[in-house]
Amino acid sequence: SQKPTQEYLLKSKDYNLTYIGNPTDNKLNGDTKIKSSDGNFSLNGTYKDGVLLKGIISLKNDGVEYYLDGEFNDFNIIDGKITIITNDKIIYKEGVFIDNKLDGNGAMRIEDTKTGEILFNYSGKFESDVPQY
């Protein structure tokens, strides 16, 4: 039988966090939600023995929004999608990642936020976020 979901308040260096889940032996396990009180960070994912396996992370920092959705090796995305929104561009990345950079087969598209114009579009092989033409 599984314990009922608990809610905990946590403090980190940068955020006041709310953790919703079921820790086991002081490690995150199963479906877990973590969110900051200011709305600048949220994580909704599945953990096993304290390691993030899959989920969605959203982060807002200095006017830039980051969204990571996929499979993770702890907090590094290894397969999935990353969306980065700045005041003038939206960057979409999808594929295989190493250190949160496209590495292997993937796709990247950059759009102008004001006009919707596609500034860059490539699908194929990447090394450390650099297309390999």
Side-chain angles (χ1 to χ4, degrees), residues 40-85:
N40 287 332
F41 174 81
S42 70
L43 182 151
N44 189 353
T46 303
Y47 279 82
K48 183 171 182 181
D49 296 327
V51 176
L52 177 62
L53 300 177
K54 63 181 176 179
I56 300 171
I57 297 173
S58 68
L59 172 68
K60 297 175 187 171
N61 188 17
D62 291 332
V64 179
E65 298 176 35
Y66 302 88
Y67 301 93
L68 292 79
D69 181 355
E71 296 177 26
F72 291 83
N73 179 6
D74 209 8
F75 287 100
N76 289 310
I77 192 165
I78 55 175
D79 190 8
K81 301 176 190 177
I82 295 177
T83 303
I84 303 168
I85 302 171

Side-chain angles (χ1 to χ4, degrees), residues 4-133:
T5 299
Q6 298 288 319
E7 186 170 313
Y8 304 89
L9 295 177
L10 307 170
K11 289 197 181 281
S12 76
K13 184 179 90 158
D14 298 317
Y15 300 104
N16 290 325
L17 302 170
T18 301
Y19 157 68
I20 302 166
N22 289 313
T24 306
D25 298 327
N26 290 324
K27 293 182 181 177
L28 302 177
N29 275 293
D31 293 335
T32 300
K33 294 179 184 178
I34 301 172
K35 61 184 179 178
S36 66
S37 59
D38 63 6
N40 287 332
F41 174 81
S42 70
L43 182 151
N44 189 353
T46 303
Y47 279 82
K48 183 171 182 181
D49 296 327
V51 176
L52 177 62
L53 300 177
K54 63 181 176 179
I56 300 171
I57 297 173
S58 68
L59 172 68
K60 297 175 187 171
N61 188 17
D62 291 332
V64 179
E65 298 176 35
Y66 302 88
Y67 301 93
L68 292 79
D69 181 355
E71 296 177 26
F72 291 83
N73 179 6
D74 209 8
F75 287 100
N76 289 310
I77 192 165
I78 55 175
D79 190 8
K81 301 176 190 177
I82 295 177
T83 303
I84 303 168
I85 302 171
T86 69
N87 64 348
D88 62 347
K89 292 182 205 67
I90 302 175
I91 303 166
Y92 300 97
K93 302 178 191 180
E94 184 171 357
V96 178
F97 296 85
I98 295 176
D99 295 328
N100 297 317
K101 295 180 181 177
L102 281 169
D103 206 295
N105 290 325
M108 181 187 295
R109 186 175 80 237
I110 302 173
E111 293 180 10
D112 185 296
T113 57
K114 294 175 181 36
T115 66
E117 178 184 0
I118 296 175
L119 305 172
F120 177 81
N121 193 19
Y122 176 78
S123 182
K125 185 171 172 56
F126 286 84
E127 287 183 17
S128 194
D129 260 357
V130 177
Q132 302 299 300
Y133 299 104

